[in-house]
């Protein structure tokens, strides 16, 4: 790893270069992608860079009705696309057939014009959808909208609408379902991301093979707190879209996504800042829901609990994979750190402690400095009120390397260990490692995980001048 040395006053600052993250993006076989979808990414001119993909389109072409679910930011300043997508999902009772996304401009805090522009994007994308005679006429748009980029600026809406329009039959159409099409769509999500975040997998339910694929983006302004749209408690940003060819009822799709997001996207942090645009969308078009030539009913928690639990588990594992990619691509990040808190009275307690450790500036700067400063971890832990008293004489802290080698306990049952500094340096020099905090509640209690990264000088540079 190369190092740059800068002089500042009388001290010397050593700056580690940010490691390349391109290896996290690899080609995916076409057979892994779900059927019944067409996607692309195109250049509209929202981004200044010539040819940069900045508008993505995703269409469900299945003859079956497509179930849709979402989790949106709980930020009070919800962006226009969040407001519009919530409305569309509500009016269509959990159904949607398309997604349109733009990067380069968040369309957030843009007033009435922002709402009008988001509607225009949705309706222009509706025109790309193939007619579906088996579906009842929609009462509103069938397209969900996402935007990401700088807050407080209006979209160059005419450019975006023209780019969407280019995907109608003609020489400029690039819609497809091969790896190139999925990759183009994933690239259209990107802002300060250094690589497109795209994953796919296969899974089986009741002897039928289904596929799931998805993409997300995010590198800064990452500390999501998302909830379902109106169905329950409710610059850069986190966006994600997941597609499956399984058939799931809208209510069960939403329940599965809400559960999965809490354990994945709501469990990551780059800088502790919640965006105005955070959105995760999930489409299930049922295109592969067939057995022995018979179309299967939609999976529903109430009628087939076992099948629903399998889907929920697959979705949760998949969203965790996507969420981790966001942290790995954290702005200026040199470390990927798993924070595990166990022995807590409740899952909520464990999750809150893990979140506090993951967002502590003192912890994150120590990680960058490769300093096993467990006192900072302990201070963050003790600052969180729990549902029952914390017994400090039962708390333990351990640094766990990702290479399977010997862990390093630094605190056991409230008593500090004599730390092997050389071993600590070995572990913290790794790109991946774990901070394990045991609150000492025994085995019959809850565990939660958070994924975070370090704070580097590069993070300050990027966010000191977004235009860079």
């Amino acid at each position: 790893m190369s190092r740059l040395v800068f002089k500042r006053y009388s001290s010397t600052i050593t700056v580690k270069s940010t490691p390349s993250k391109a290896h996290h993006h690899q080609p995916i076989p076409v057979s892994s992608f779900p059927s019944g979808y067409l996607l692309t990414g195109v250049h509209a001119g929202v981004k200044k860079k010539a040819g940069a993909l900045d508008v993505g389109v995703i269409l469900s072409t299945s003859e079956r009705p497509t179930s849709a679910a979402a989790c949106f930011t709980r930020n009070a300043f919800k962006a226009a696309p969040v407001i519009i997508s919530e409305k569309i999902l509500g009016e269509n009772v959990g159904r949607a057939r398309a997604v349109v996304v733009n990067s380069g401009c968040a369309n957030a805090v843009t007033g009435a014009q922002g709402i009008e522009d988001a509607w225009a994007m949705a309706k222009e994308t509706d025109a790309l959808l193939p007619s579906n005679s088996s579906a009842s006429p929609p009462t509103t748009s069938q397209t969900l909208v996402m935007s990401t980029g700088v807050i407080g600026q209006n979209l160059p809406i005419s450019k975006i609408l023209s780019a969407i329009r280019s995907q109608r039959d003609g020489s400029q159409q690039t819609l497809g379902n091969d790896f190139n099409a999925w990759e183009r769509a994933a690239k259209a999500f990107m802002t300060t991301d250094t690589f497109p975040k795209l994953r796919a997998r296969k899974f089986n339910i009741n002897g039928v093979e289904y596929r799931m694929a998805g993409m997300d983006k995010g590198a800064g302004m990452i500390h999501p707190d998302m909830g379902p749209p109106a169905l329950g408690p409710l610059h850069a940003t986190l966006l994600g879209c997941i597609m499956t060819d399984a058939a799931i009822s809208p209510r069960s799709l939403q329940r599965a996504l809400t559960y999965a997001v809490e354990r994945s996207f709501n469990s990551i942090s780059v800088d502790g800042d919640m965006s105005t645009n955070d959105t995760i969308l999930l489409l299930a078009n049922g295109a592969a829901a067939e057995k022995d030539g018979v179309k299967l009913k939609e999976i529903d928690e109430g009628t087939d609990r076992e099948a629903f639990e399998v889907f929920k588990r697959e979705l949760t594992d998949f969203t965790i994979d996507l969420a981790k990619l966001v942290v790995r691509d954290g702005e200026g990040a040199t470390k990927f750190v798993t924070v595990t808190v166990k022995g807590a009275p409740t899952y909520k307690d464990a999750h809150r402690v893990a979140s506090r450790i993951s967002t502590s500036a003192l912890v994150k700067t120590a990680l960058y400095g490769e300093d096993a400063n467990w006192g900072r971890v302990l201070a963050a832990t003790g600052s969180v009120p729990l549902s029952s008293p914390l017994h400090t004489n039962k708390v333990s802290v351990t640094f766990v390397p990702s290479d399977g080698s010997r862990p390093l306990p630094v605190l056991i049952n409230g008593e500090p260990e004599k730390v092997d500094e050389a071993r600590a340096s070995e572990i913290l020099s790794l790109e991946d490692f774990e901070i394990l905090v045991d609150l000492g509640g025994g085995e019959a209690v809850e565990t939660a995980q958070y994924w975070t990264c370090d704070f580097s000088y590069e993070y300050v540079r990027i966010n000191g001048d977004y235009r860079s």
Side-chain angles (χ1 to χ4, degrees), residues 7-81:
K7 290 287 185 181
R8 184 182 179 187
Y9 304 111
S10 60
S11 61
T12 300
I13 300 175
T14 302
V15 182
K16 297 178 291 182
S17 61
T18 304
S20 172
K21 303 165 185 177
H23 62 282
H24 293 298
H25 177 61
Q26 299 291 335
I28 297 172
V30 175
S31 60
S32 297
F33 293 119
S35 54
Y37 293 98
L38 292 174
L39 308 87
T40 194
V42 296
H43 174 66
V46 187
K47 294 177 179 175
K48 294 178 181 179
K49 184 178 179 181
L53 302 180
D54 50 22
V55 171
V57 175
I58 300 169
L59 308 176
S60 171
T61 61
S62 175
E63 294 181 358
R64 297 180 63 147
T66 301
S67 297
C71 285
F72 298 109
T73 182
R74 290 189 174 105
N75 194 303
F77 290 97
K78 290 184 179 181

Side-chain angles (χ1 to χ4, degrees), residues 386-429:
L386 303 180
S387 59
S388 61
L390 176 65
H391 299 288
T392 58
N393 63 338
K394 294 183 178 180
V395 176
S396 301
V397 178
T398 304
F399 287 88
V400 183
S402 58
D403 59 8
S405 60
R406 175 174 55 88
L408 178 68
V410 292
L411 183 78
I412 297 179
N413 292 327
E415 294 289 337
E417 293 289 289
K418 184 176 181 180
V419 176
D420 181 341
E421 296 293 345
R423 180 59 182 151
S425 180
E426 287 176 0
I427 295 175
L428 271 78
S429 66

Side-chain angles (χ1 to χ4, degrees), residues 223-241:
H223 187 75
D225 180 20
M226 296 179 285
L231 302 176
L234 284 181
H235 191 95
T237 190
L238 174 81
L239 298 182
C241 190

Side-chain angles (χ1 to χ4, degrees), residues 123-363:
K123 290 174 181 176
E124 194 66 54
T125 307
D126 285 341
L128 302 179
L129 286 164
S131 59
N132 191 342
S133 56
S134 64
S136 11
T139 59
T140 186
S141 173
Q142 299 181 80
T143 299
L144 304 176
V145 188
M146 296 191 288
S147 297
T148 178
V150 181
I151 293 171
Q153 295 183 6
N154 289 115
L155 293 169
I157 191 62
S158 60
K159 292 181 179 180
I160 292 174
L161 298 182
S162 178
I164 298 170
R165 210 172 291 128
S166 73
Q167 294 308 297
R168 298 181 189 175
D169 294 337
S171 59
Q172 291 183 300
Q173 189 185 64
T174 54
L175 284 163
N177 192 35
D178 58 5
F179 173 72
N180 180 60
W182 284 84
E183 184 182 48
R184 286 177 68 90
K187 286 181 176 180
F189 278 63
M190 295 169 61
T191 50
T192 57
D193 305 66
T194 65
F195 64 91
K197 300 167 179 62
L198 176 64
R199 291 290 185 267
R201 67 166 55 189
K202 299 177 183 178
F203 59 99
N204 281 272
I205 299 178
N206 293 334
V208 179
E209 182 179 86
Y210 298 109
R211 286 161 289 181
M212 180 185 295
M215 59 202 70
D216 60 358
K217 64 82 51 185
M221 197 178 280
I222 301 296
H223 187 75
D225 180 20
M226 296 179 285
L231 302 176
L234 284 181
H235 191 95
T237 190
L238 174 81
L239 298 182
C241 190
I242 302 166
M243 286 71 73
T244 181
D245 50 19
I248 316 288
S249 70
R251 69 168 186 170
S252 291
L253 194 71
Q254 184 63 61
R255 287 180 66 87
L257 182 63
T258 301
Y259 178 91
V261 163
E262 182 63 19
R263 287 153 181 79
S264 56
F265 294 106
N266 280 3
S267 297
I268 62 173
S269 187
V270 169
D271 45 29
D273 283 307
M274 184 202 310
S275 169
T276 55
N277 292 58
D278 289 338
T279 302
I280 299 296
L281 304 178
L282 171 60
L283 302 181
N285 67 7
E290 190 171 303
K291 189 174 184 180
D292 301 326
V294 178
K295 286 190 176 180
L296 302 173
K297 293 181 178 179
E298 290 182 331
I299 294 170
D300 186 86
E301 183 180 16
T303 57
D304 193 341
R305 179 69 184 229
E306 185 175 343
F308 170 77
E309 289 296 330
V310 172
F311 177 78
K312 185 175 74 171
R313 182 171 63 249
E314 291 289 343
L315 177 65
T316 301
D317 289 346
F318 187 71
T319 55
I320 288 173
D321 286 346
L322 283 177
K324 286 180 177 180
L325 291 177
V326 174
V327 178
R328 290 192 180 280
D329 201 20
E331 289 173 344
T334 69
K335 306 292 181 187
F336 175 84
V337 182
T338 300
V339 178
T340 302
V341 176
K342 68 179 198 177
T346 66
Y347 175 80
K348 184 177 180 180
D349 287 328
H351 195 259
R352 290 178 64 199
V353 172
S355 173
R356 180 68 188 90
I357 295 169
S358 299
T359 55
S360 165
L362 287 175
V363 170

